[in-house]
Amino acid sequence: MSHIIAATDFSETAENAVDYACGLAADLDAQVVILHSFMLPLMFSDVPMPGSIIVDEQQDAEAQMSALVARITERHPSAKIKGQVIYGNTLDILQGFNDGH
């Protein structure tokens, strides 16, 4: 099965792009993977950043992803949609995703 990757930052503009990807996927019988990647800013300090910050950021992004997938699925009920939140550099993640499919 073909995949269309639609990256999102959860903005209105990104949601419009995801909508377009879902319409395209319906025409091509493809699955849409809505991808959000995040990284914490690099900080130089003697005090280490608590690991819970990454967990908090991931939970927040996953909640936003669940809401986005629900909205998009409501507008495109026949579309095959999968949401994915990953910690890391977007370009590296896209390369890894491409290598794995």
Side-chain angles (χ1 to χ4, degrees), residues 28-95:
L28 300 174
D29 191 32
Q31 179 182 31
V32 175
V33 177
I34 304 171
L35 176 67
H36 175 75
S37 67
F38 69 99
M39 290 184 65
L40 298 178
L42 189 59
M43 297 171 55
F44 297 97
S45 171
D46 292 337
V47 180
M49 186 181 302
S52 63
I53 292 177
I54 294 174
V55 172
D56 292 344
E57 288 292 321
Q58 177 130 14
Q59 289 174 341
D60 181 49
E62 287 175 354
Q64 290 183 70
M65 181 63 75
S66 293
L68 175 60
V69 169
R71 286 191 306 273
I72 296 295
T73 300
E74 189 174 306
R75 291 194 293 260
H76 300 276
S78 63
K80 301 169 198 94
I81 303 168
K82 176 181 170 184
Q84 204 165 4
V85 174
I86 302 175
Y87 178 81
N89 179 285
T90 304
L91 294 176
D92 293 340
I93 290 167
L94 288 173
Q95 182 63 45

Side-chain angles (χ1 to χ4, degrees), residues 22-30:
C22 287
L24 183 62
D27 291 343
L28 300 174
D29 191 32

